[in-house]
Structures are given as structure tokens and as C-alpha cells.
Amino acid sequence: MRFAPVLAAFAMCLGAPALAEEVVSSPDGAISVTVDVNGEGRPFYRIDKGDEAVFTESRLGFLLTDQDKLERRLTVTGATRASHDETWEQPWGEQRFVRDHHNELTVRFEEDSDDKRRFGVTFRVFDDAVAFRYVFDDASVGETLRIAEELTEFNLAQNGTAWWIPGGEWNRYEYLYEETPIDAVSLAHTPLTFRMENGTHVAIHEAALVDFAGMWVKRTTGTNFRATLAPTGSSAARAVRDLPFATPWRTIRVSDDAAGLAESLVELNLNEPNKLGDVSWFEPHKYVGVWWSLHLDEESWGSGPRHGANTANVKRYIDFAAEHGFEGVLVEGWNLGWDGNWFFNGAEFSFTESYPDYDFEELARYAAEKGVPIVGHHETSGDVGNYESQLEAGLDLMAARGVKTIKSGYVTDACNLRYVHPDGRETRECTESQVMQRHHLKVVTEAAKREIAMNPHEPVKDTGLRRTYPNWVSREGARGMEFSAWGVPPNGPNHVPTMVFTRMLSGPMDYTPGIVSLEGRGQPLQMTMSRALAEYVLIYSPIQMVADLPEHYAEHPEPFQFIKDVPADWEESHVLEAEVGDYVVTARKDRNSEEWYLGGGTDADARDVSLALDFLDKGQTYRAEIYRDADTSHFEGPTRFDIAIEQIEVTAADSLDLRMAAGGGFAIRLIPTGG
Ligand code: NOJ
Ligand code: CA
């Protein structure tokens, strides 16, 4: 039976189920979400903050490959509500205790058709974000849902500025950020960050991306955006799921300022709790490695006279790490497959066979003796099929050699990953395609069985799964330090102040900071020395690379001291001052001591900041070890090395006036010295 919405409204007057809009607000009452169907029976939601619209009417729905689209002729048949307030503890993180405080509304929709197809949408509203997901738990839509496209809209109420990288383009996430008017964005990856003209900051992302296609976001008209699911080579449908299931959460951070965007941990709150149990076998740490030398082209991944992964060279790195207190040595190029053009030879990689000049057994013994584990490396060159066929043997070998963390890699152009299905069929896949999400979780769970942590490069974006699988400790997923080595446009001074409010909203990044030589392959890095140090505070990761060559640290012993001191695990984190893309100042408290650390970074404009230290313990005095730009410092030219290092005594009543040079910043360690 079909009847037009106008008749449905008429029916309501006659006593049919109420069709009134449903509203749910954040615990503090500031953010509200309204859910309803419009006159054509199209479901939509709207977001307001205070008296101002954040999202105007934004539709919900799906295109399906084998059924009529699920988006019209719908009525609201019911709504249920819940509230939740819980504080949980991260095993490691940027913030030890995380509060999950939200109000929930589930709206049930039913189609006015012969099939009477039904589904629900669950909204959660936090003080700093809105999230929702579709729930398919009713056989009226069939046993299997084949989704051609998600029709979820994100319609911003105003124009403003957007910071974004293109979705689905060949270089994956490794682009410099675009800063454009909101109405000039095209197809973008998430997190996708906006500052509307009224000053409201918004970031669209997703949480709990499990067995579903990752979401890109496409501008349709004006400031209106729509979800775009990553395609797959496996089927015409971009996501295929048996019922019952729920989609990943679509998340919208909403804040009055940039700091509020960065401090939200909404995606973590939307993921399931730790499924691995005791994960104390992973400890946050800093690591060094045979790495920058490869990118400088001073050593090679492949065999020959310049082969970096030779036993004597790796022992030199182990000695260096042991001497300075670092807890891992990454070795790239240890395994067969790097000779020739490895970019195109993914099938050649062995994950069990070493080059003859790399004595893995002896190095494992030496590493154990020195207390510095080897960090394993699994580059796939995008041949996921080859990797999966050796995955268990490859992980077993690493476990037997005392490896606790593996960096993996998926170097190939976007949507060119070679995947082999259980029936032997080969397809080419995007990083965000559904089957690749299965692959990543397979690797992470297999690694967890062996008490190994994973750090994928060219990964899928983080959607908070580190809460559920805490051995998924870090990843790349943006333009890392390596670009500054290569002679291509290097990461400019605004890269990190932009990333903190874009890529970093999703989770930890293995950016590989610490290049104190401030020089790539014949080109200067675009930052000052104090900025190089600040990045250990600005960019969060529980594994931080100390990425430069040992001989370069020997040339800069004083700045190197900060890199030795700075922790990789935090009790709490706060962004003190920031504007997206311009500058950022972050304060973090060490998880294992009473010390605080401050990091600041600015774009190509010099900036003065005055920082109240009122976050410090009131009854304490602190020794502040300050690494700041000198009056002469500038990121361009030889004065990028200029740094002023000083110690002063401070208390919570003080404030620090600091000048950040163009492309500069500061790094500060605050050590309690007595009450
Ligand atoms: C790209 C990674 O980002 C980089 O760190 C690594 O050295 C190369 N792939 C080789 O695996
Ligand atoms: Ca990379």
C-alpha cells in the first residue's frame, strides 16, 4: 500500500503514530540534533549550536545495487533515548582517562511501500561532537545489504575556510593540505576541517571503520557535502554486509575554537572497549633506525655495497640506541625483494628470508643483550595478496627474533592494492575499500596473538580502533617527514600547524620527527631547530622515531638532550593556543612522572605568545628547560640552526612570553623541583 506524505500527515491527524520531529541535545545543552522526514518522506538531521545552525537539513539514506534506493517514502515510527556517562582508561595515549558523556537517540524509520523496509539511525550527542550510525537489524531490507552509495549529507550552514586533502587520488593521504573557501572543496578525505564564517569549527570524520567501505566526502553544491564510499574492485556494491549490522559512525566535531577540535576524543568513545585484554607487553617508546640514510640515498634498501641493513651497521644503531635510552631499532631493507624497482615488484618480497649480510639471529641476540629490540619492517609494495600468503610465517619470525613492533608499508598508487580473495580471485583495491579494512584488522589481530604492535604506513586512516585493538599503535596516513628528504616540495612551515587540526584528529601518527641536521637530500628543511624539537610534543604517537643519523645527533648534543628527555606516553594533553594552519601550542603531562612538556609551532609568520602556566601544580616550583628560537632564527637559510637554550624557575602563577620565529617554535620541559 502506498500513500503520499500528504496523506500520511492526514493519517496522523486521524490518530496514526506521531510524526513530530525528534530532538536530542548534548549533556551541556549547547548542541542539538533534530531528526525528521521531509514532505517527500526523505529522512534528514540538522545540527544547531546555541542559536546558530551548524548543519542545515542534511539527508540520510542509501543507494543499493539490487533494490530500490532507501531514502524516500519514509516515516518515523518510533524513537528511543538513552544517556551515558563513563570515564575509562587508555592503556597508553595522549590522555589517560577519557570521559564518554553523551545523550543518545535512536530513530526508527519505515518505508511506505509494499515491503515496508525498516532501519534505524542512532545519534549520540556529546559536548564536543555529534555522531550517528545506521542500524540494519530488520529482515525487511533482506538478509544482505548491497550498498552502491551512501547518501548521507553534511550541509554546512555557512561558508568559511576548509583544510583538506583530495580523496581517492594517486598519492593516498600524502598531500600538502589545501586551504580554500568551504565552497571550493572537491572530493576530500576525512578528517575534513572547517572554520565557518561565524567562527564555529567543524571536523567531519568517522569512527569504528570495520568491515565497511571508508568514507570520502564530496562537495555537491555550495557548502553542501555528501558521503562517498570508497569503491572496490570486488563488486559493484561498495559495501556488502549480512544483517544485522551497523555502519561505522559518522562524526562531526563542533567547537568554538581550533583547540576544542583537537582535544575531542569522540572517535575513541565510539569504538568498542579493548578486546585484547592485558596489553602491557606494549610500552610507548622512542626508536631509531636504518631509515633517513635510505631516504637521503646514502644507503640502499637493496643489496650491494651501500646496503644499509647489514649486521655491523645495525649493531652500530643498537649501540647508539642503548647509549641514549631509545627502545627500538627499525631496520628497513633486511629482507629479499628490494632489488630492482621495488615499487613495482611487490610479489618479490619475502617476509621470512633475510639478505645474506643481515644476520637476523645474531642481531636478535645482540639486541636482547643491549635491551633494544629490533623494530620489524614489512613493506608490501601494495601486494596485499603476497603479504597475506606469508603473514603468519612473517609474524612468527619477528616474534622469534624478539620484535615487539612492526612498521608495515603499502607503497602503491591509490586504488591499486592487489588483493586476493579466499576463492583466489584477484582484485585491485583502494586503501579505504571494504576488503582492505578486513586485511588491516587481520594483520593487527594476528600480530596481537604474538604480542606485536603494528605501525602501518600508507595505511587506512585511523577511526579510533586503537581503543579496541591497542596494539594498533600508530600509522602514517599523511605527508610525513620523508617528503622533506626527497627534493620534491618539502613540508612547509604550516604543515604541522595544519596537520594538528586535520590528520591528527584521527589518532597517532608516525611522522618521524627529529631531523636535527635540518637538511634533506640537498635541500634545507623548512623549520628551525626548536621547531624540530617541538614536533615531539605537537604530534602525538606512542612510538616516536628519533629519525636522524647518529652522527647528526653527535653534532647537535644540546638540542638532542630534549629528544632524549621527552616522553611518548601522556597523562593529559591540552591545546593552549591555536589557529588552524597558523600556529599551535600544546601542553602535555608525562604519564610516568610529574613533568610537563610544552611545544609550540608557527607557520611562515613569526608570532609572540604569552602562556599562563596555571595548569601546573599550585604548590610546586619547576625548573623550565627552554629550547626556543633565537632572535636571529628563521626557517629559511643558515639561521634555522640558531637556538637559545636556557633554564629558569617558574610556578603556576607565572606566564611565559615566547617568540616563535618564522617556521619556528619552542620546546619546554618543566621539572618539579620542590614545594
Ligand atoms: C614509505 C614509508 O612511509 C617510508 O617510511 C618507508 O621508508 C618506505 N615506504 C619504504 O618502506
Ligand atoms: Ca609514506
Side-chain angles (χ1 to χ4, degrees):
M1 187 177 63
R2 297 177 178 197
F3 52 96
V6 60
L7 291 182
F10 182 58
M12 184 183 72
C13 301
L14 296 178
L19 299 178
E21 60 184 27
E22 298 287 345
V23 181
V24 56
S25 299
S26 54
D28 68 2
I31 300 175
S32 63
V33 177
T34 304
V35 188
D36 204 349
V37 291
N38 71 10
E40 295 174 321
R42 299 186 200 257
F44 68 85
Y45 70 104
R46 203 172 65 223
I47 302 176
D48 295 285
K49 183 156 196 241
D51 296 334
E52 299 202 65
V54 180
F55 283 4
T56 56
E57 279 189 19
S58 301
R59 287 188 204 158
L60 301 162
F62 290 93
L63 277 174
L64 305 170
T65 59
D66 57 354
Q67 299 180 38
D68 192 15
K69 74 190 295 209
L70 198 52
E71 195 239 1
R72 295 185 72 162
R73 300 182 287 162
L74 291 155
T75 52
V76 174
T77 56
T80 51
R81 290 164 186 279
S83 291
H84 189 83
D85 191 1
E86 174 204 14
T87 297
W88 55 280
E89 184 177 356
Q90 298 205 71
W92 48 265
E94 66 279 68
Q95 185 82 25
R96 180 168 174 192
F97 295 105
V98 180
R99 186 173 181 195
D100 176 0
H101 191 195
H102 66 259
N103 292 327
E104 182 178 295
L105 167 70
T106 298
V107 180
R108 306 285 317 175
F109 296 98
E110 182 179 293
E111 193 175 46
D112 178 20
S113 66
D114 292 344
D115 296 335
K116 291 203 173 309
R117 294 183 299 174
R118 289 178 290 274
F119 65 96
V121 183
T122 298
F123 290 83
R124 289 188 182 167
V125 189
F126 303 76
D127 289 346
D128 58 11
V130 170
F132 61 90
R133 67 175 175 185
Y134 297 84
V135 181
F136 290 100
D137 54 358
D138 190 293
S140 59
V141 297
E143 284 174 11
T144 303
L145 206 67
R146 294 186 175 80
I147 297 172
E149 188 56 290
E150 180 172 331
L151 301 175
T152 305
E153 292 180 343
F154 308 96
N155 295 337
L156 280 94
Q158 298 183 4
N159 210 348
T161 308
W163 291 266
W164 58 284
I165 51 172
E169 289 303 321
W170 72 272
N171 211 8
R172 306 164 305 261
Y173 302 92
E174 300 178 19
Y175 289 89
L176 291 171
Y177 278 84
E178 298 285 314
E179 179 178 332
T180 69
I182 294 174
D183 65 5
V185 176
S186 58
L187 178 67
H189 275 299
T190 73
L192 169 57
T193 299
F194 306 102
R195 183 181 58 222
M196 300 198 302
E197 275 156 2
N198 67 357
T200 300
H201 290 63
V202 174
I204 299 171
H205 189 43
E206 61 181 307
L209 172 54
V210 177
D211 200 7
F212 203 78
M215 179 181 74
W216 302 329
V217 174
K218 179 175 90 170
R219 192 175 64 85
T220 52
T221 54
T223 59
N224 295 344
F225 290 78
R226 169 165 81 61
T228 298
L229 297 180
T232 171
S234 310
S235 66
R238 295 183 176 199
V240 180
R241 285 290 295 271
D242 291 339
L243 267 66
F245 79 96
T247 67
W249 294 91
R250 278 64 188 94
T251 63
I252 302 115
R253 295 183 194 202
V254 183
S255 171
D256 292 336
D257 56 22
L261 282 190
E263 290 189 4
S264 171
L265 295 173
V266 63
E267 287 83 11
L268 285 181
N269 277 331
L270 294 162
N271 274 272
E272 290 177 34
N274 177 2
K275 286 187 177 169
L276 301 182
D278 179 8
V279 287
S280 56
W281 39 266
F282 170 72
E283 290 180 20
H285 62 268
K286 289 169 287 183
Y287 69 100
V288 300
V290 178
W291 183 76
W292 187 243
S293 57
L294 305 168
H295 290 272
L296 291 178
D297 204 24
E298 291 177 3
E299 293 177 326
S300 65
W301 281 277
S303 61
R306 295 190 308 128
H307 186 217
N310 70 73
T311 308
N313 196 31
V314 175
K315 283 190 174 178
R316 183 171 71 92
Y317 274 87
I318 293 173
D319 291 344
F320 172 70
E323 184 186 344
H324 297 289
F326 304 125
E327 291 167 71
V329 174
L330 168 69
V331 188
E332 295 197 2
W334 66 276
N335 57 324
L336 299 186
W338 291 94
D339 293 320
N341 195 345
W342 61 266
F343 194 99
F344 297 105
N345 293 337
E348 308 284 312
F349 277 118
S350 167
F351 297 94
T352 53
E353 296 162 283
S354 313
Y355 278 117
D357 58 345
Y358 180 77
D359 186 341
F360 204 171
E361 211 172 334
E362 165 58 10
L363 283 166
R365 186 200 64 75
Y366 193 74
E369 183 186 306
K370 298 277 179 166
V372 180
I374 302 283
V375 174
H377 188 234
H378 284 171
E379 175 58 61
T380 68
S381 234
D383 195 326
V384 180
N386 180 50
Y387 186 33
E388 285 202 353
S389 72
Q390 301 179 54
L391 180 63
E392 297 192 19
L395 292 172
D396 285 344
L397 172 69
M398 289 295 176
R401 297 286 177 264
V403 165
K404 294 180 180 308
T405 311
I406 295 175
K407 170 179 172 177
S408 59
Y410 295 83
V411 172
T412 189
D413 288 359
C415 300
N416 192 42
L417 292 154
R418 180 180 165 271
Y419 188 83
V420 180
H421 294 259
D423 63 3
R425 194 167 51 110
E426 290 184 17
T427 57
R428 294 288 165 160
E429 298 296 335
C430 300
T431 305
E432 295 82 17
S433 74
Q434 182 177 9
V435 294
M436 279 304 293
Q437 308 327 309
R438 290 191 200 132
H439 166 73
H440 282 297
L441 265 192
K442 177 176 176 168
V443 174
V444 163
T445 50
E446 282 299 325
K449 287 181 195 163
R450 295 157 178 87
E451 301 195 345
I452 290 175
M454 291 305 303
N455 167 28
H457 278 227
E458 301 77 41
V460 64
K461 62 187 172 181
D462 198 343
T463 56
L465 282 163
R466 63 183 159 128
R467 178 175 181 188
T468 316
Y469 305 98
N471 70 321
W472 199 341
V473 294
S474 198
R475 69 188 84 198
E476 189 187 44
R479 198 176 169 100
M481 181 67 79
E482 60 194 15
F483 278 81
S484 295
W486 297 341
V488 296
N491 300 340
N494 67 344
H495 187 55
V496 168
T498 307
M499 270 209 317
V500 169
F501 304 97
T502 50
R503 161 64 183 83
M504 298 311 300
L505 302 184
S506 69
M509 178 180 181
D510 188 37
Y511 183 66
T512 67
I515 304 299
V516 294
S517 47
L518 301 179
E519 186 87 26
R521 213 187 291 164
Q523 71 175 8
L525 265 55
Q526 298 205 348
M527 62 182 175
T528 67
M529 182 67 88
S530 8
R531 168 65 166 277
L533 307 182
E535 289 179 351
Y536 285 93
V537 183
L538 296 176
I539 298 172
Y540 170 64
S541 176
I543 51 168
Q544 285 282 26
M545 191 168 196
V546 176
D548 211 338
L549 311 181
E551 49 271 37
H552 291 164
Y553 290 116
E555 289 167 14
H556 301 281
E558 290 183 315
F560 185 41
Q561 187 60 46
F562 182 83
I563 297 177
K564 293 203 270 184
D565 294 335
V566 67
D569 196 17
W570 305 101
E571 183 74 21
E572 53 184 296
S573 294
H574 306 280
V575 172
L576 301 184
E577 291 201 18
E579 285 295 341
V580 182
D582 293 342
Y583 73 104
V584 51
V585 178
T586 301
R588 302 191 197 267
K589 187 182 184 206
D590 182 16
R591 179 142 171 183
N592 299 304
S593 78
E594 294 302 310
E595 295 183 8
W596 281 84
Y597 288 78
L598 287 172
T602 179
D603 61 6
D605 292 330
R607 245 170 260 271
D608 296 299
V609 289
S610 181
L611 303 175
L613 299 180
D614 51 6
F615 52 87
L616 295 176
D617 194 338
K618 302 285 175 288
Q620 278 285 354
T621 52
Y622 292 79
R623 185 172 76 245
E625 298 178 352
I626 301 173
Y627 302 75
R628 61 171 176 84
D629 291 325
D631 293 344
T632 47
S633 302
H634 194 288
F635 76 95
E636 286 174 317
T639 64
R640 67 188 187 284
F641 289 97
D642 294 357
I643 184 168
I645 302 174
E646 63 197 359
Q647 299 194 356
I648 60 170
E649 196 170 273
V650 296
T651 71
D654 291 321
S655 58
L656 283 176
D657 295 327
L658 293 153
R659 180 169 179 74
M660 300 191 272
F666 54 84
I668 301 173
R669 178 188 186 193
L670 293 150
I671 309 157
T673 50

